Amino acid sequence: MPENSSSSSQRLTVITCTAPVNIAVIKYWGKRDEELILPINSSLSVTLHQDQLKTTTTVACSRSFQEDRIWLNGKEEDINQPRLQSCLREIRRLARKRRSDDDPSNDISLSHRVHICSVNNFPTAAGLASSAAGYACLVYSLSRLFGVEGELSGVARQGSGSACRSMYGGFVQWKMGEREDGKDSLAEQVAAESHWPELRVLVLVVSAERKPVGSTSGMQTSVKTSQLLKHRADSVVPGRMEEMISAIQKRDFATFAELTMKDSNQFHATCLDTYPPIFYLNDISRRVISLVHRYNQHYQETRVAYTFDAGPNAVIYTLQEHVPEFVQAVRHFFPPETNGGEFVKGLSVDSASLSEELKRAIGMEPVPKGISYVISTQVGPGPCVVEEPNLHLLGPDGLPMKST
Ligand code: DP6
């Protein structure tokens, strides 16, 4: 239940929620409708654990607020951005519908303005798509504030396509749908977060010099110019979605890993096929790709997989038993600064040594400081409500607390 603080005559209703980041193993790239954010292919992702990566959002509502306002990572932003407006409008519409259907007594007036304050627990510099967690958290928080229940991934999708997948934990597919109004373009859980407890995720944060082309404009150019993208959407992804879902259901790591790598590679191939071409991978990304293939080759088994989004950072999927040795291989081939901060953040990783044989089989020249740090995490749950009132990001006056 939202909390009311009625210290003064102006009642403030406030609620705080958190939402996760997701990393696609079958990528979404390309829209058939820019406004409703409808994709040209279905996609599938893994929800990462919020202990390591999450967005926290507080929303507050009061009769005394003059206008809707939003603060992101400590800075006030423009509330009139079309995607923010779509989410606010859709939630208010659902709330109005619900009120007219039943309970007219809910005391949160829909005419009241909202204040929104949102922070990430990971640096923007980590280059992780924060829009997915951000919009999922916004939509989830507003839905709790206005008492809206049920399917909300269609609203989050209108903030950022990939955000619809962050509305669920575990393994999540976004079914592209067929309808023009987008009502069937929704996310759905394929398996719960407890389904595959040994699965681990390592985010390899690559030291990048420049900001790459954003995904929204990148995919627009790809849709306009890449024939490979059309082939991918029409003839490759449908079969891959089925194979991926079955690999997850069977916890078949080798198949899951191979499909993940092939799909990442095909996505980056469509970027190269875009005209003018878009380059998201850099030299370090390509060295991570080689490291993974040589590591797997050495063991004659697919133990580790990589995937890359619209930037140079690698996300590695592997099983718990291989984490210590693979992390040691990353440390060996990308030696970190000796007096820098901790190299591995998040879930603790046991130490391991590399055999001379493995080093020789990988046979790469080490690149000092090629990777800034690693975030070690696992599969996690969907958005949640934060119950402790001392964690609200907005104070009793409805403005951001000093620390945010
Ligand atoms: C490469 O969801 O950020 O991460 O819908 O325009 O907001 P918009 O794009 P966005 O695109 C994500 C692209 C991707 C692949 C994926 O997450 O599936």
Side-chain angles (χ1 to χ4, degrees):
M1 276 301 282
E3 192 188 325
N4 290 315
S5 78
S6 45
S7 48
S8 66
S9 55
Q10 302 297 0
R11 278 159 69 90
L12 184 75
T13 309
V14 51
I15 190 152
T16 297
C17 299
T18 64
V21 167
N22 73 76
I23 298 292
V25 289
I26 303 287
K27 304 293 186 193
Y28 146 54
W29 197 252
K31 296 182 186 68
R32 62 179 203 276
D33 185 314
E34 293 282 336
E35 203 138 306
L36 289 169
I37 312 198
L38 302 178
I40 59 167
N41 61 259
S42 296
S43 55
L44 198 151
S45 59
V46 176
T47 297
L48 305 192
H49 206 288
Q50 296 177 51
D51 280 354
Q52 283 75 44
L53 301 160
K54 70 173 177 225
T55 295
T56 303
T57 301
T58 297
V59 289
C61 174
S62 163
R63 207 149 69 94
S64 68
F65 292 169
Q66 306 288 313
E67 52 185 355
D68 292 334
R69 293 175 75 181
I70 186 165
W71 291 264
L72 300 181
N73 293 312
K75 202 172 146 269
E76 183 157 18
E77 300 282 342
D78 180 11
I79 193 80
N80 293 313
Q81 290 172 60
R83 289 168 168 214
L84 262 175
Q85 287 296 319
S86 301
C87 292
L88 278 164
R89 187 189 57 235
E90 285 304 298
I91 289 286
R92 284 186 165 125
R93 190 179 60 76
L94 291 174
R96 204 165 296 121
K97 189 159 163 270
R98 205 179 116 86
R99 299 280 156 89
S100 52
D101 286 353
D102 43 66
D103 177 23
S105 67
N106 191 321
D107 61 349
I108 301 169
S109 166
L110 284 166
S111 60
H112 288 178
R113 303 291 96 195
V114 292
H115 283 187
I116 303 160
C117 186
S118 192
V119 295
N120 296 328
N121 74 341
F122 53 92
T124 319
L128 290 157
S130 53
S131 66
Y135 277 106
C137 207
L138 172 77
V139 168
Y140 192 77
S141 312
L142 288 172
S143 75
R144 290 299 167 277
L145 183 74
F146 290 125
V148 176
E149 274 157 25
E151 213 315 301
L152 293 164
S153 74
V155 182
R157 189 200 72 227
Q158 296 180 54
S160 179
S162 54
C164 71
R165 298 185 313 237
S166 276
M167 295 301 283
Y168 299 98
F171 301 80
V172 184
Q173 64 168 323
W174 172 13
K175 290 183 161 171
M176 64 176 288
E178 287 170 0
R179 289 172 55 147
E180 266 179 35
D181 64 6
K183 293 252 155 62
D184 57 352
S185 187
L186 303 172
E188 203 173 88
Q189 192 177 59
V190 169
E193 67 258 28
S194 55
H195 170 71
W196 200 347
E198 302 81 19
L199 194 68
R200 288 292 177 277
V201 185
L202 302 168
V203 182
L204 273 44
V205 179
V206 168
S207 344
E209 348 45 274
R210 42 191 187 92
K211 206 182 159 359
V213 179
S215 32
T216 306
S217 70
M219 66 177 84
Q220 271 169 2
T221 319
S222 298
V223 169
K224 276 192 213 130
T225 62
S226 171
Q227 279 181 292
L228 178 58
L229 181 64
K230 191 173 161 32
H231 165 72
R232 163 180 166 73
D234 296 345
S235 312
V236 180
V237 173
R240 238 173 224 178
M241 284 291 293
E242 281 184 30
E243 287 176 69
M244 185 59 98
I245 291 170
S246 133
I248 291 167
Q249 282 164 348
K250 291 191 263 187
R251 290 185 279 266
D252 170 355
F253 185 78
T255 306
F256 169 84
E258 280 155 36
L259 288 167
T260 296
M261 292 187 277
K262 286 181 179 173
D263 203 72
S264 172
N265 294 340
Q266 188 176 63
F267 156 50
H268 290 280
T270 67
C271 291
L272 195 59
D273 189 50
T274 297
Y275 192 82
I278 305 169
F279 308 105
Y280 288 125
L281 306 182
N282 66 14
D283 182 54
I284 301 297
S285 320
R286 286 185 285 270
R287 282 170 192 267
V288 171
I289 293 177
S290 299
L291 171 65
V292 168
H293 285 292
R294 290 175 192 188
Y295 185 87
N296 289 336
Q297 176 67 33
H298 175 72
Y299 287 109
Q300 293 286 298
E301 188 184 43
T302 309
R303 294 187 173 185
V304 180
Y306 54 78
T307 186
F308 298 83
D309 283 337
N313 292 338
V315 176
I316 300 291
Y317 287 103
T318 187
L319 296 174
Q320 191 177 12
E321 58 186 308
H322 305 310
V323 168
E325 191 187 57
F326 186 76
V327 166
Q328 191 52 36
V330 171
R331 211 192 288 272
H332 179 84
F333 291 102
F334 303 99
E337 239 173 320
T338 37
N339 54 357
E342 46 173 2
F343 185 57
V344 181
K345 302 176 200 285
L347 288 182
S348 75
V349 174
D350 290 343
S351 57
S353 55
L354 300 184
S355 69
E356 287 308 316
E357 217 189 332
L358 177 60
K359 283 187 216 163
R360 225 175 309 114
I362 293 173
M364 294 180 355
E365 197 56 46
V367 182
K369 292 181 265 176
I371 288 172
S372 317
Y373 58 93
V374 175
I375 305 169
S376 158
T377 185
Q378 59 189 338
V379 186
C384 347
V385 175
V386 176
E387 303 291 352
E388 303 91 78
N390 58 337
L391 296 178
H392 291 319
L393 304 175
L394 291 166
D397 55 357
L399 294 173
M401 307 277 271
K402 287 272 170 326
S403 57
T404 60

